[in-house]
Structure formats: C-alpha cells, structure tokens
Amino acid sequence: MGSIINYSPPPPPPPPPNYDRPWRSINWSEDGQNLLTTVTNFQPGNAEVNPLRILLHGPVGAGKSSFFNSVNNALQGHITTRALANSTLNDDRTFTLECKTYKVRNRPGSYFPFAFIDIAGMHSGGIGIKTDDIKKLLKGHIKDGYTFNPLKPITEEDPKYNKNPILKDRIHCLVAVLPANTVSMINEKTIEQMREVRENARNLGIPQVIVMTKVDEVCPLVKDNLQKIYTSKKIKQKMEECSNSLGVPVSYIYPVKNYHEEHTTNTTVDILILDALKNIVNFANDYVEDQEDS
C-alpha cells in the first residue's frame, strides 16, 4: 500500500497594494494652520544666504508660474497674480522669457527667507530654454533679469553673466514641475534635457524634487474631492511615471493642484501647496548648511 503524500498548494500571491487606504498621512482638519505656522517661522541655517533660491524648471505649460502664484496665494490668504501664466492650452511656446526671481512678502517691508526663480520652459523644438543656461544658473552665473535666447546660451561677455558667484548666488533646490495629465506624452528629448539638468544638479549636491501639477485633470475622484488625493490609484500611478521619467524617488514627489480659476483660496489646495513648500525649503536649507560645513 503506497504512502499518502500530504500536498499543500502554494500560497496565493499577495494582493496588489490597496490604495483605498491613504498612502501618505495628512490631517486635513489641522495640518493647514500647522504648515502655515512652520513656514512662517522658518529661518535659514546660514544667515548669509537669504533668501534661499529655489529654481522651477520643466516643460512648456507644466504650471511653473502657476505653482509660484499658488504658493503666494497660500501664504497671503488671497488670490494673487505675481507671476504671469499662460492660459492658452494649445500654445506650446514658453510664456516666461526672463530669469525672474520672485520673493514672497511676509509682512509689510519684509519677505520670507526663500525665493523662487522662474525661467523659460523646456521644449524639444528648440524654442525653449537651453540646458546650458540652466546649468550656469545652478552655479549662480546668471543674474536676475537675463532674457533667455532660444538660439544660443549666455556667454561670459553678457552683462547679466556673473563670473564669480558665491553660495548665496547659487540655486539651493531644483524643482521639476511636471503636469500629471500629460506626463506620459512629454517628448523624450525634453525628458532627456531634464535628466541632464538633474544629473548636473546631483553632481553639485543640489537637492531635487518634483511638483506634480494638474492632479484634478487625471482623476475624477480627486476632481470631486481633493482630499482623496492620497487614496487615488491614478495619482499614485502618475507619481510613479514622474519618478521613472526623471529618476526622482516617489518620496520626493509632491502632487498639487495649482490655483487656476478660483476667486478665493481653499484650505485643501493650500495644505498640499504648503506641504510641498515646507519640504522644498527644508531641503534647500540642508544644502546650504552642508556647503557651509564643507
């Protein structure tokens, strides 16, 4: 009589991640005021570097200028239009032409200790900013007000060229702005240009993050209720696409909704904007302190 073999089937594969549960923790009822207080009370670790310089770059139409305006809205408590943004959906020409530094007013006569540098958008057709210009900007060689030339990068003979930049002239955090609704359709040449800029920033030790805009245009759940952003499988998928495109870890990607057609500020929109801002400022400050130590 043959022996009986007890056969146990292999365990089933683990279920796919359940994004119905929040995959980032945020307290929508309390974090707004806490974030605002944290950002308002922030002071750089190096008094000689004020303001911290945050560079926004990305493809034409990604929402770079709108992101700055949204930061300003969240901090001022009302709708502002400091940076002019292009609302023409089918126009692939960059709307920003100059290297423009935007400080954020804290109270009358004073400003927050961080500023945003807005530049021309990147474009595969040669009508956007040159990657060589961004590389020089990272090192502090380009002064505020320089008008970008899509045909050639800046030269040392240009009056807006800074031949001897110091730490306060450099970029202290590089922020790539990518639109969630079209990230998969961005031209590969543009992505290659952004990777080149990112690698250059990495070699300089400059921290990098991604701000993913237009989240409400890719997920009906989020469009109806922005507080569902951290339970949305579609938003998580788009963040992973951004990560795969540029090589930035998902933990350094911040999904936001820019102010676009609103007439008043919104607490949920502000929380996402301020959460991204808090981390960007902290990363920039870490870089400045590291440079001072070395």
Side-chain angles (χ1 to χ4, degrees), residues 82-235:
R82 291 278 309 284
L84 296 180
N86 192 3
S87 62
T88 305
L89 299 178
N90 297 321
D91 191 350
D92 61 0
R93 293 169 298 176
T94 181
F95 195 66
T96 302
L97 300 176
E98 290 187 354
C99 177
K100 179 72 173 177
T101 298
Y102 290 100
K103 294 182 179 181
V104 184
R105 190 178 300 278
N106 187 353
R107 56 183 65 90
S110 68
Y111 295 87
F112 284 98
F114 49 82
F116 288 86
I117 291 79
D118 193 16
I119 60 175
M122 307 181 81
H123 193 281
S124 61
I127 60 174
I129 190 172
K130 296 293 185 184
T131 53
D132 285 347
D133 278 341
I134 302 181
K135 293 176 184 178
K136 291 182 176 70
L137 185 56
L138 290 173
K139 296 178 181 179
H141 287 298
I142 297 182
K143 298 178 182 178
D144 197 39
Y146 172 70
T147 300
F148 297 103
N149 186 338
L151 300 180
K152 64 177 183 178
I154 193 172
T155 64
E156 293 188 15
E157 290 71 34
D158 194 289
K160 291 292 185 180
Y161 188 89
N162 181 3
K163 293 182 179 180
N164 300 297
I166 58 178
L167 180 58
K168 72 180 183 65
D169 301 318
R170 300 180 207 165
I171 294 302
H172 308 125
C173 186
L174 176 67
V175 178
V177 181
L178 292 177
N181 60 333
T182 58
V183 62
S184 59
M185 296 182 286
I186 297 174
N187 185 282
E188 182 58 30
K189 187 174 181 180
T190 300
I191 292 295
E192 289 176 3
Q193 291 172 338
M194 295 184 69
R195 287 179 188 148
E196 184 180 347
V197 171
R198 179 180 181 271
E199 289 172 2
N200 196 259
R202 178 200 62 198
N203 294 339
L204 295 170
I206 298 172
Q208 305 137 54
V209 306
I210 293 176
V211 167
M212 189 178 77
T213 60
K214 305 185 181 182
V215 294
D216 54 317
E217 297 186 27
V218 297
C219 179
L221 179 73
V222 172
K223 187 175 182 66
D224 289 340
N225 184 356
L226 192 56
Q227 293 188 10
K228 298 292 186 181
I229 191 167
Y230 290 141
T231 63
S232 167
K233 298 178 184 179
K234 189 68 174 180
I235 297 300

Side-chain angles (χ1 to χ4, degrees), residues 69 72-73 76-81 259-260 262-266:
N69 283 334
N72 201 45
N73 293 347
Q76 305 302 325
H78 59 86
I79 301 299
T80 65
T81 55
Y259 283 100
H260 174 57
E262 294 81 0
H263 296 288
T264 59
T265 55
N266 176 281

